[in-house]
Amino acid sequence: MKVPFLDLRSQYLELREEIDAAVLGVLDSGRYILGKKCEEFELAFKGYLVGEDEGYVVGVNSGTDALKLSLLAAGVGPGDEVITVANTAIPTATAICSVGAIPVFCDVDRRTWLMDAVQIEAHVTSRTKAIIPVHLYGGVCDMNTILEVAGKFGLQVIEDTAQATGSLYKGKRCGTLGDFGAFSFYPSKNLGACGDGGAVFVRSAASKELLSRLRNYGQGSRYRADIVSGENSRLDELQAAILSIKLRHLDRWNRKRMEVASCYLSKLHDRGFSVQVQMDTEGAEPAKHLFVVRVDPRQRERIMKDMEIEGVQSLIHYPMPLYQQPAFSHYKKQQNAVAEELCASVISLPFHQYLVIDKINFIIASFVKSIF
Ligand SMILES: *Cc1c(COP(=O)(O)O)cnc(C)c1O
């Protein structure tokens, strides 16, 4: 049996008629950028996140740009420091560096593998402007404590929600708790486009205005540039139309993902196997993005090879703390002991909403066999 890590085609096949019609509709409309489809999606996604409550969604080109434009809108610039974590996707730090700011890495909690909120304060300096907590793997950061520290020092909070579209914290969606919520619609994410896409959630009309300009050359109105740091970063009509369709299925897909995750756990348990997985923050209802387990670092490469021989594809999210990456190593050398342990020991098993029971059994059997 072959079990690839992802199965993105099944999403398309499940909704094929609807998606085909929507795509052809956009092609036929003659409007491809900043038209009705983008507006419709922004409104629908805002409704998904906060319902009737106030707030706005601004569609952008990617999750990386959602972070970057949020930083620009928050007034973060050259020489400013932004506190984030080291066990995350590269773009979290790329976005910080792209506005000239300096990433400062706060270690993560041993149980949740997420930003250890009580350690943030020790990293705050007079140059600190913002915190970017990362809701890694769909897990939910300890937002109350993070917001408390941010409030104390007047810092902006930009949630990296790229991996947690749909996750809840004390009944509220991740990405709506801080000042900015950055989302990614990269195809493999819980809500994925058929290309690149992203969005920012903000609560104030002023931030929404600013972001709308930043994504469109800095233009306030046509041919009138108001801000110099403008970009070209729009969510195009084709992606928006596809996302609007998929959004209607997101909660069901996320429930399915959680079923797959608990199935994995009970199968491991049935085999008398206790494996370390990410624990939930108090008050969190995660919409898992990845199913990650820890193994003996010295065995990891071999375990993955053995599984691959059996046909099971696994990946590592992420193999190296960001400050060890060549691109970021010139920033203050820091040691995040827990992040380093995690980077050395994590394996992501195949994970998506179309995993059926015989595949799950096969994956677990192959994993358990490789461990011993
Ligand atoms: C995917 C991802 C991003 C970047 O999103 P893109 O849409 O690929 O630019 C940022 N942060 C995290 C944690 C991610 O997983």
Side-chain angles (χ1 to χ4, degrees):
M1 196 184 305
K2 273 254 175 293
V3 192
F5 190 77
L6 276 174
D7 178 4
L8 298 180
R9 188 159 178 266
S10 286
Q11 272 183 43
Y12 167 60
L13 294 180
E14 183 185 338
L15 307 172
R16 187 176 210 160
E17 272 175 41
E18 238 183 314
I19 290 177
D20 286 358
V23 166
L24 290 175
V26 171
L27 293 180
D28 203 43
S29 75
R31 180 80 191 235
Y32 307 120
I33 291 282
L34 293 183
K36 266 222 286 286
K37 292 294 169 191
C38 180
E39 262 175 44
E40 275 169 21
F41 173 71
E42 288 172 338
L43 219 80
F45 193 49
K46 180 257 166 199
Y48 174 80
L49 293 174
V50 291
E52 298 292 305
D53 289 359
E54 66 182 303
Y56 303 88
V57 165
V58 180
V60 298
N61 198 273
S62 67
T64 309
D65 277 0
L67 289 167
K68 180 178 180 182
L69 299 191
S70 295
L71 286 160
L72 288 171
V76 177
D80 291 337
E81 291 176 1
V82 178
I83 299 172
T84 189
V85 292
N87 60 331
T88 178
I90 288 169
T92 309
T94 310
I96 296 169
C97 297
S98 72
V99 303
I102 299 160
V104 173
F105 299 101
C106 175
D107 207 357
V108 294
D109 180 84
R110 199 169 280 286
R111 287 181 63 257
T112 65
W113 307 354
L114 303 168
M115 181 177 273
D116 187 354
V118 300
Q119 290 192 44
I120 298 171
E121 190 164 341
H123 295 285
V124 176
T125 72
S126 58
R127 301 205 297 186
T128 310
K129 278 279 173 59
I131 308 173
I132 302 187
V134 181
H135 301 298
L136 195 72
Y137 312 148
V140 180
C141 297
D142 174 6
M143 288 307 294
N144 275 3
T145 313
I146 290 169
L147 291 169
E148 213 172 278
V149 182
K152 186 169 164 189
F153 295 99
L155 309 175
Q156 300 274 305
V157 174
I158 300 164
E159 297 175 73
D160 185 337
T161 322
Q163 298 192 4
T165 305
S167 291
L168 292 162
Y169 177 72
K170 299 187 194 284
K172 292 186 175 151
R173 296 271 178 221
C174 285
T176 68
L177 303 150
D179 300 286
F180 299 85
F183 293 86
S184 164
F185 306 124
Y186 181 79
S188 70
K189 302 287 157 82
N190 289 17
L191 177 62
C194 297
D196 277 312
V200 183
F201 174 86
V202 281
R203 222 162 266 286
S204 81
S207 299
K208 181 235 173 190
E209 243 342 278
L210 188 48
L211 285 164
S212 303
R213 287 169 198 212
L214 285 168
R215 76 170 169 186
N216 196 31
Y217 319 129
Q219 279 186 171
S221 53
R222 188 173 280 196
Y223 308 130
R224 194 192 144 82
D226 299 298
I227 30 185
V228 289
S229 43
E231 302 268 321
N232 170 352
S233 183
R234 297 155 311 211
L235 180 65
D236 70 70
E237 293 289 284
L238 282 171
Q239 301 308 333
I242 292 167
L243 287 166
S244 286
I245 294 167
K246 289 191 175 184
L247 178 62
R248 300 197 276 273
H249 303 272
L250 179 62
D251 277 343
R252 180 172 55 84
W253 285 346
N254 279 340
R255 279 196 298 275
K256 198 79 203 147
R257 281 173 176 274
M258 294 312 290
E259 278 170 34
V260 171
S262 35
C263 196
Y264 267 143
L265 286 175
S266 68
K267 300 273 162 209
L268 284 166
H269 186 81
D270 288 350
R271 287 166 175 269
F273 203 75
S274 105
V275 71
Q276 261 197 65
V277 294
Q278 182 181 34
M279 295 286 136
D280 294 342
T281 300
E282 194 209 319
E285 275 176 69
K288 279 248 174 262
H289 172 58
L290 294 169
F291 187 84
V292 180
V293 295
R294 285 187 70 179
V295 299
D296 181 345
R298 290 161 304 184
Q299 300 292 326
R300 178 167 70 178
E301 216 181 297
R302 185 198 50 77
I303 292 169
M304 293 178 74
K305 272 231 176 71
D306 285 357
M307 288 174 68
E308 197 186 321
I309 290 165
E310 299 238 307
V312 178
Q313 188 193 10
S314 58
L315 294 172
I316 300 173
H317 300 91
Y318 294 89
M320 201 188 269
L322 288 188
Y323 51 81
Q324 286 177 3
Q325 291 280 359
F328 310 116
S329 59
H330 58 289
Y331 293 113
K332 241 192 292 180
K333 265 264 184 322
Q334 297 167 69
Q335 266 212 320
N336 291 179
V338 181
E340 287 188 16
E341 278 175 40
L342 287 166
C343 289
S345 61
V346 289
I347 295 184
S348 307
L349 299 182
F351 190 62
H352 53 79
Q353 64 267 36
Y354 301 101
L355 272 181
V356 289
I357 191 71
D358 58 330
K359 289 236 163 111
I360 294 173
N361 282 331
F362 183 73
I363 293 159
I364 292 299
S366 150
F367 174 64
V368 170
K369 202 165 92 191
S370 312
I371 294 278
F372 296 113

